[in-house]
Coordinates of all heavy atoms in Angstrom, one line a residue:
M1 N 66.3 108.1 17.7 CA 65.0 107.6 18.2 C 64.6 108.6 19.2 O 65.4 109.0 20.1 CB 65.2 106.3 18.8 CG 63.9 105.7 19.4 SD 62.6 105.4 18.2 CE 62.9 103.8 17.7
R2 N 63.4 109.1 19.1 CA 62.9 110.1 20.0 C 62.5 109.4 21.3 O 61.8 108.3 21.3 CB 61.7 110.8 19.4 CG 61.9 111.4 18.1 CD 62.6 112.8 18.4 NE 62.8 113.4 17.1 CZ 63.9 114.1 16.9 NH1 64.8 114.3 17.8 NH2 64.1 114.7 15.7
P3 N 62.9 110.0 22.5 CA 62.6 109.4 23.8 C 61.1 109.3 24.0 O 60.7 108.4 24.7 CB 63.2 110.5 24.8 CG 64.3 111.1 24.0 CD 63.8 111.2 22.6
V4 N 60.3 110.2 23.5 CA 58.9 110.1 23.7 C 58.2 108.8 23.0 O 57.4 108.2 23.6 CB 58.1 111.3 23.3 CG1 58.2 111.5 21.7 CG2 56.7 111.4 23.7
L5 N 58.8 108.4 21.9 CA 58.4 107.2 21.2 C 58.8 106.0 22.1 O 58.0 105.0 22.2 CB 58.9 107.1 19.8 CG 58.5 108.2 18.8 CD1 59.3 108.1 17.5 CD2 57.0 108.2 18.6
V6 N 60.0 106.0 22.5 CA 60.4 104.9 23.4 C 59.6 104.8 24.7 O 59.3 103.8 25.1 CB 61.9 105.0 23.7 CG1 62.4 103.9 24.6 CG2 62.7 105.1 22.4
A7 N 59.2 106.1 25.2 CA 58.4 106.1 26.4 C 57.0 105.4 26.2 O 56.5 104.8 27.1 CB 58.2 107.5 26.9
F8 N 56.4 105.7 25.0 CA 55.1 105.0 24.7 C 55.3 103.5 24.6 O 54.4 102.8 25.1 CB 54.5 105.6 23.4 CG 54.0 106.9 23.6 CD1 54.3 108.0 22.7 CD2 53.0 107.3 24.5 CE1 53.7 109.3 22.8 CE2 52.4 108.5 24.7 CZ 52.8 109.5 23.8
L9 N 56.4 103.1 24.0 CA 56.6 101.6 23.9 C 56.8 101.0 25.3 O 56.3 100.0 25.7 CB 57.8 101.3 23.1 CG 57.6 101.5 21.5 CD1 58.9 101.4 20.9 CD2 56.6 100.5 21.0
L10 N 57.6 101.8 26.1 CA 57.8 101.4 27.5 C 56.5 101.3 28.3 O 56.2 100.3 29.1 CB 58.8 102.3 28.1 CG 59.2 102.0 29.5 CD1 60.0 100.7 29.6 CD2 60.1 103.1 30.1
A11 N 55.6 102.3 28.1 CA 54.3 102.2 28.9 C 53.5 101.1 28.4 O 52.8 100.4 29.3 CB 53.6 103.6 28.7
A12 N 53.4 100.8 27.1 CA 52.6 99.7 26.6 C 53.2 98.4 27.2 O 52.4 97.4 27.6 CB 52.6 99.7 25.1
L13 N 54.5 98.2 27.2 CA 55.1 97.0 27.8 C 54.9 96.8 29.2 O 54.6 95.7 29.8 CB 56.6 96.9 27.4 CG 57.2 95.6 27.5 CD1 56.6 94.5 26.7 CD2 58.7 95.7 27.0
A14 N 55.0 97.9 30.0 CA 54.8 97.9 31.4 C 53.3 97.5 31.7 O 53.0 96.8 32.7 CB 55.0 99.3 32.0
F15 N 52.3 98.0 30.8 CA 51.0 97.6 31.0 C 50.8 96.1 30.9 O 50.1 95.5 31.7 CB 50.1 98.3 30.0 CG 48.6 98.0 30.1 CD1 47.9 98.4 31.1 CD2 48.1 97.1 29.1 CE1 46.5 98.1 31.2 CE2 46.8 96.8 29.2 CZ 45.9 97.2 30.2
V16 N 51.5 95.5 29.8 CA 51.4 94.0 29.6 C 51.9 93.3 30.8 O 51.3 92.3 31.3 CB 52.1 93.6 28.3 CG1 52.3 92.2 28.2 CG2 51.4 94.2 27.1
V17 N 53.1 93.7 31.3 CA 53.7 93.0 32.5 C 52.8 93.2 33.7 O 52.6 92.2 34.4 CB 55.0 93.6 32.7 CG1 55.6 93.1 34.1 CG2 56.0 93.2 31.6
A18 N 52.2 94.3 33.9 CA 51.2 94.5 35.0 C 50.1 93.7 34.9 O 49.6 93.1 35.9 CB 50.9 96.0 35.2
V19 N 49.5 93.5 33.7 CA 48.3 92.7 33.6 C 48.7 91.3 33.8 O 47.8 90.5 34.4 CB 47.8 92.9 32.1 CG1 46.8 91.8 31.7 CG2 47.1 94.3 32.0
L20 N 49.8 90.8 33.3 CA 50.2 89.5 33.7 C 50.4 89.2 35.1 O 50.0 88.1 35.6 CB 51.5 89.1 32.9 CG 51.4 88.8 31.4 CD1 52.7 88.7 30.8 CD2 50.6 87.5 31.2
A21 N 51.0 90.1 35.8 CA 51.1 90.0 37.3 C 49.9 90.0 38.0 O 49.7 89.3 39.0 CB 52.1 91.1 37.7
I22 N 48.9 90.8 37.6 CA 47.7 90.9 38.3 C 46.7 89.8 38.0 O 46.1 89.2 38.9 CB 47.0 92.3 37.9 CG1 47.7 93.4 38.5 CG2 45.5 92.3 38.5 CD1 47.3 94.8 38.0
A23 N 46.6 89.3 36.7 CA 45.7 88.3 36.3 C 46.2 86.9 36.7 O 45.4 86.1 37.0 CB 45.5 88.4 34.8
E24 N 47.5 86.7 36.6 CA 48.0 85.4 36.9 C 47.3 84.3 36.3 O 46.8 83.3 37.0 CB 48.2 85.2 38.4 CG 49.0 86.1 39.1 CD 49.1 85.8 40.6 OE1 48.9 84.7 41.0 OE2 49.4 86.7 41.3
P25 N 47.1 84.3 34.9 CA 46.5 83.1 34.3 C 47.3 81.8 34.3 O 48.5 81.9 34.7 CB 46.3 83.6 32.9 CG 47.4 84.6 32.6 CD 47.6 85.2 34.0
R26 N 46.7 80.7 34.0 CA 47.5 79.5 34.1 C 48.6 79.6 33.1 O 48.5 80.0 31.9 CB 46.6 78.3 33.6 CG 47.3 76.9 33.5 CD 46.5 75.9 33.1 NE 45.7 75.5 34.3 CZ 44.6 74.8 34.3 NH1 44.1 74.4 33.2 NH2 44.1 74.5 35.5
G27 N 49.8 79.2 33.4 CA 51.0 79.2 32.6 C 51.5 80.7 32.4 O 52.0 81.1 31.4
W28 N 51.4 81.5 33.4 CA 51.7 83.0 33.3 C 53.2 83.3 33.5 O 53.7 84.3 33.2 CB 50.9 83.8 34.3 CG 51.3 83.5 35.7 CD1 50.8 82.5 36.5 CD2 52.3 84.3 36.5 NE1 51.4 82.6 37.8 CE2 52.3 83.6 37.8 CE3 53.0 85.4 36.3 CZ2 53.1 84.1 38.8 CZ3 53.8 85.8 37.4 CH2 53.8 85.2 38.6
L29 N 54.0 82.3 34.1 CA 55.3 82.6 34.5 C 56.2 82.8 33.2 O 57.1 83.8 33.2 CB 55.9 81.4 35.3 CG 57.3 81.7 35.9 CD1 57.3 82.9 36.8 CD2 57.8 80.5 36.7
A30 N 56.2 82.0 32.2 CA 57.0 82.1 31.1 C 56.8 83.4 30.3 O 57.7 84.2 30.1 CB 56.9 80.9 30.1
P31 N 55.5 83.9 30.1 CA 55.3 85.1 29.4 C 55.8 86.3 30.4 O 56.2 87.3 29.9 CB 53.8 85.2 29.2 CG 53.4 83.8 29.2 CD 54.3 83.1 30.1
F32 N 55.6 86.1 31.6 CA 56.0 87.2 32.5 C 57.5 87.4 32.5 O 57.9 88.5 32.5 CB 55.5 86.8 34.0 CG 55.8 87.9 35.0 CD1 55.0 89.0 35.1 CD2 56.8 87.7 35.9 CE1 55.2 90.0 36.0 CE2 57.0 88.7 36.8 CZ 56.3 89.9 36.9
I33 N 58.2 86.3 32.5 CA 59.7 86.4 32.4 C 60.1 87.0 31.0 O 60.9 87.9 31.0 CB 60.3 85.0 32.6 CG1 60.1 84.6 34.1 CG2 61.8 85.1 32.3 CD1 60.5 83.2 34.3
A34 N 59.4 86.5 30.0 CA 59.8 87.1 28.6 C 59.4 88.6 28.5 O 60.3 89.4 28.1 CB 59.0 86.3 27.6
F35 N 58.3 89.0 28.9 CA 57.9 90.4 28.8 C 58.6 91.3 29.9 O 58.9 92.4 29.6 CB 56.4 90.6 29.0 CG 55.6 90.3 27.8 CD1 54.9 89.2 27.7 CD2 55.7 91.1 26.6 CE1 54.1 88.8 26.5 CE2 55.0 90.8 25.5 CZ 54.2 89.7 25.4
G36 N 59.0 90.7 31.0 CA 59.8 91.3 32.0 C 61.2 91.6 31.5 O 61.7 92.7 31.8
S37 N 61.8 90.7 30.8 CA 63.2 91.0 30.2 C 63.0 92.0 29.2 O 63.9 92.8 29.0 CB 63.8 89.7 29.7 OG 63.0 89.1 28.7
L38 N 62.0 92.0 28.4 CA 61.8 93.0 27.3 C 61.6 94.4 28.0 O 62.1 95.4 27.5 CB 60.6 92.7 26.5 CG 60.7 91.6 25.4 CD1 59.5 91.3 24.7 CD2 61.9 92.0 24.5
L39 N 60.9 94.4 29.1 CA 60.7 95.6 29.8 C 62.1 96.2 30.4 O 62.3 97.4 30.3 CB 59.8 95.4 31.0 CG 59.4 96.6 31.9 CD1 58.7 97.7 31.0 CD2 58.5 96.2 33.0
A40 N 62.9 95.3 30.9 CA 64.2 95.8 31.3 C 65.0 96.4 30.2 O 65.7 97.4 30.3 CB 64.9 94.6 32.0
G41 N 64.9 95.7 29.0 CA 65.6 96.2 27.8 C 65.1 97.6 27.3 O 65.8 98.4 27.0
M42 N 63.8 97.7 27.5 CA 63.1 99.0 27.1 C 63.5 100.1 28.1 O 63.7 101.2 27.6 CB 61.7 98.9 27.0 CG 61.2 98.1 25.8 SD 61.6 98.8 24.2 CE 60.8 100.3 24.2
V43 N 63.7 99.8 29.3 CA 64.2 100.8 30.3 C 65.6 101.2 30.0 O 65.9 102.4 29.9 CB 64.2 100.3 31.7 CG1 64.8 101.2 32.7 CG2 62.6 100.0 32.2
W44 N 66.5 100.3 29.6 CA 67.7 100.7 29.1 C 67.8 101.5 27.9 O 68.5 102.5 27.8 CB 68.6 99.4 28.9 CG 69.9 99.7 28.3 CD1 71.1 100.1 28.9 CD2 70.2 99.8 26.9 NE1 72.0 100.4 28.1 CE2 71.6 100.2 26.8 CE3 69.5 99.5 25.7 CZ2 72.2 100.3 25.5 CZ3 70.1 99.7 24.6 CH2 71.5 100.0 24.4
F45 N 66.9 101.1 26.9 CA 66.7 101.9 25.7 C 66.3 103.3 25.9 O 66.7 104.2 25.3 CB 65.9 101.1 24.7 CG 65.9 101.7 23.3 CD1 67.1 101.9 22.7 CD2 64.7 101.8 22.6 CE1 67.1 102.5 21.4 CE2 64.7 102.3 21.3 CZ 66.0 102.6 20.7
E46 N 65.3 103.5 26.8 CA 64.8 104.8 27.2 C 65.9 105.6 27.7 O 66.1 106.8 27.3 CB 63.7 104.7 28.2 CG 63.1 106.0 28.6 CD 62.4 106.8 27.5 OE1 62.0 106.3 26.5 OE2 62.3 108.1 27.7
V47 N 66.7 105.2 28.7 CA 67.8 105.8 29.2 C 68.9 106.3 28.1 O 69.4 107.3 28.0 CB 68.5 105.0 30.3 CG1 69.8 105.7 30.7 CG2 67.6 104.9 31.5
W48 N 69.2 105.3 27.2 CA 70.1 105.6 26.1 C 69.5 106.7 25.2 O 70.2 107.5 24.8 CB 70.3 104.3 25.3 CG 71.2 104.5 24.2 CD1 72.5 104.4 24.1 CD2 70.8 104.9 22.8 NE1 73.0 104.7 22.9 CE2 72.0 105.0 22.0 CE3 69.6 105.1 22.2 CZ2 71.9 105.3 20.7 CZ3 69.5 105.4 20.9 CH2 70.8 105.5 20.1
A49 N 68.2 106.6 24.9 CA 67.6 107.6 24.0 C 67.6 108.9 24.6 O 67.9 110.0 23.9 CB 66.2 107.2 23.7
I50 N 67.4 109.1 25.9 CA 67.5 110.4 26.6 C 68.9 110.9 26.6 O 69.1 112.1 26.3 CB 66.9 110.2 28.0 CG1 65.4 110.1 28.0 CG2 67.3 111.5 28.9 CD1 64.8 109.7 29.3
R51 N 69.9 110.1 26.8 CA 71.3 110.5 26.8 C 71.8 111.0 25.4 O 72.6 111.8 25.3 CB 72.2 109.4 27.4 CG 72.0 109.2 28.8 CD 73.0 108.2 29.3 NE 72.9 108.0 30.7 CZ 73.5 107.1 31.4 NH1 74.2 106.2 30.8 NH2 73.3 107.0 32.7
H52 N 71.2 110.4 24.4 CA 71.6 110.6 23.0 C 70.6 111.4 22.2 O 70.6 111.4 20.9 CB 72.0 109.3 22.3 CG 73.1 108.6 22.9 ND1 73.0 107.7 23.9 CD2 74.5 108.7 22.6 CE1 74.3 107.3 24.2 NE2 75.1 107.8 23.5
R53 N 69.7 112.2 22.9 CA 68.6 112.8 22.1 C 69.1 113.9 21.2 O 68.4 114.4 20.3 CB 67.5 113.2 23.1 CG 67.9 114.3 24.0 CD 66.8 114.8 24.9 NE 67.2 115.7 25.9 CZ 67.3 115.5 27.2 NH1 67.1 114.2 27.6 NH2 67.7 116.3 28.0
R54 N 70.3 114.5 21.5 CA 70.7 115.6 20.7 C 71.8 115.2 19.7 O 72.4 116.0 19.0 CB 71.3 116.7 21.5 CG 70.3 117.3 22.5 CD 69.3 118.1 21.8 NE 68.4 118.7 22.8 CZ 67.1 119.0 22.4 NH1 66.7 118.9 21.2 NH2 66.3 119.5 23.4
D55 N 72.1 113.9 19.5 CA 73.1 113.4 18.6 C 72.8 113.7 17.1 O 73.7 113.8 16.3 CB 73.4 112.0 18.7 CG 74.1 111.6 20.1 OD1 74.6 112.5 20.7 OD2 74.3 110.4 20.4
D56 N 71.6 113.8 16.7 CA 71.2 113.9 15.3 C 70.9 115.4 14.9 O 70.4 115.6 13.8 CB 69.9 113.1 15.0 CG 68.7 113.4 15.9 OD1 68.9 114.3 16.7 OD2 67.7 112.9 15.5
D57 N 71.2 116.4 15.8 CA 70.9 117.7 15.4 C 71.9 118.4 14.5 O 71.7 119.5 14.0 CB 70.9 118.6 16.8 CG 69.6 118.4 17.4 OD1 68.7 117.8 16.9 OD2 69.6 118.8 18.6
G58 N 73.0 117.7 14.2 CA 73.9 118.1 13.1 C 74.7 119.3 13.5 O 75.1 120.3 13.5

């Protein structure tokens, strides 16, 4: 997995979490927790992708 692709996914997910935090619509806590946990997983995946970016060079 290319780190730049993961970075784009991470940026999109961070945007969703920021919008939920800023807008605070009715019932926003559950989606905020769900998307926040996905965001934490994507940060971990980005770190993993950066550390393993040369594994497929053969």
Side-chain angles (χ1 to χ4, degrees):
M1 181 62 88
R2 301 284 181 215
V4 69
L5 298 176
V6 178
F8 282 129
L9 288 172
L10 183 62
L13 194 55
F15 178 75
V16 169
V17 171
V19 166
L20 281 172
I22 292 168
E24 297 182 24
R26 174 178 283 162
W28 67 278
L29 186 60
F32 184 75
I33 291 171
F35 282 109
S37 64
L38 287 175
L39 182 63
M42 287 300 295
V43 168
W44 173 84
F45 190 46
E46 176 68 19
V47 170
W48 180 88
I50 289 172
R51 288 184 179 169
H52 294 89
R53 68 178 173 254
R54 300 289 181 206
D55 285 354
D56 60 351
D57 284 346

